[in-house]
């Protein structure tokens, strides 16, 4: 309940305008109840991003493309645009950036492992390739948020997927062939 009330408030006002007092009043609980679960308002924010990251990981499986896995992760942002703006425009932007970076990394590492099946690229090269795409996706999402999420994320992600289709496999094959030299 505390988390849901916080998300609702974050969709209505900036992060720095939400207090523990506001939350407990809206929830109809006392401060001790709040502090039993959270140390402060920022702890709720951190938990939200951790929960959303776990949701993205749980929903992503081997049958999903990296694009579909990444779109699962953008669902919360799309459903809570104003809340995301309020976090993005706050001093807690780092929490949002870390969430996006972690989701990008999880999706890309799993995808690179899946594509590498039967190729045997070096571990270092797999990490490097996944990291490259992780950074690119993170920056793309941050720019999407900075533009106030004007474009549909599925259109952007699917187009990136089409443009780079096969590049990860080609890079992994190149890595495996360089290993043999």
């Amino acid at each position: 309940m505390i988390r849901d009330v916080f998300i609702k408030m974050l969709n209505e006002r900036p992060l720095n305008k939400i207090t523990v007092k506001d939350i407990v009043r809206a929830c109809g609980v006392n401060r001790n109840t709040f502090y039993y679960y959270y140390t402060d308002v920022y702890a709720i924010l951190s938990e939200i991003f951790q929960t959303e990251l776990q949701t993205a990981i749980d929903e992503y499986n081997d049958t999903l493309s990296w694009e579909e896995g990444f779109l699962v992760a953008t669902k919360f942002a799309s459903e809570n645009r104003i809340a995301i703006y309020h976090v993005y425009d706050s001093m807690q932007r780092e929490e949002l950036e870390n969430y996006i970076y972690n989701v990008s990394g999880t999706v890309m590492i799993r995808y690179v492992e899946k594509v590498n099946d039967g190729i045997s690229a070096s571990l270092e090269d797999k990490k490097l390739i996944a990291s490259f795409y992780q950074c690119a996706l993170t920056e793309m999402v941050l720019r999407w948020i900075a533009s106030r999420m004007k474009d549909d994320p599925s259109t952007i992600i699917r187009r990136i997927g089409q443009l780079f289709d096969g590049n990860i496999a080609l890079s992994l094959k190149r890595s495996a062939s360089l290993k043999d030299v």
Side-chain angles (χ1 to χ4, degrees), residues 30-46:
N30 64 40
R31 291 176 76 82
N32 289 338
T33 301
F34 177 90
Y35 288 116
Y36 178 79
Y37 294 100
Y38 302 102
T39 55
D40 57 21
V41 171
Y42 304 112
I44 303 172
L45 185 63
S46 180

Side-chain angles (χ1 to χ4, degrees), residues 1-2 20-21 23-34:
M1 177 174 61
I2 292 171
V20 171
K21 183 178 179 180
I23 295 168
V24 297
R25 187 181 310 128
C27 290
V29 299
N30 64 40
R31 291 176 76 82
N32 289 338
T33 301
F34 177 90

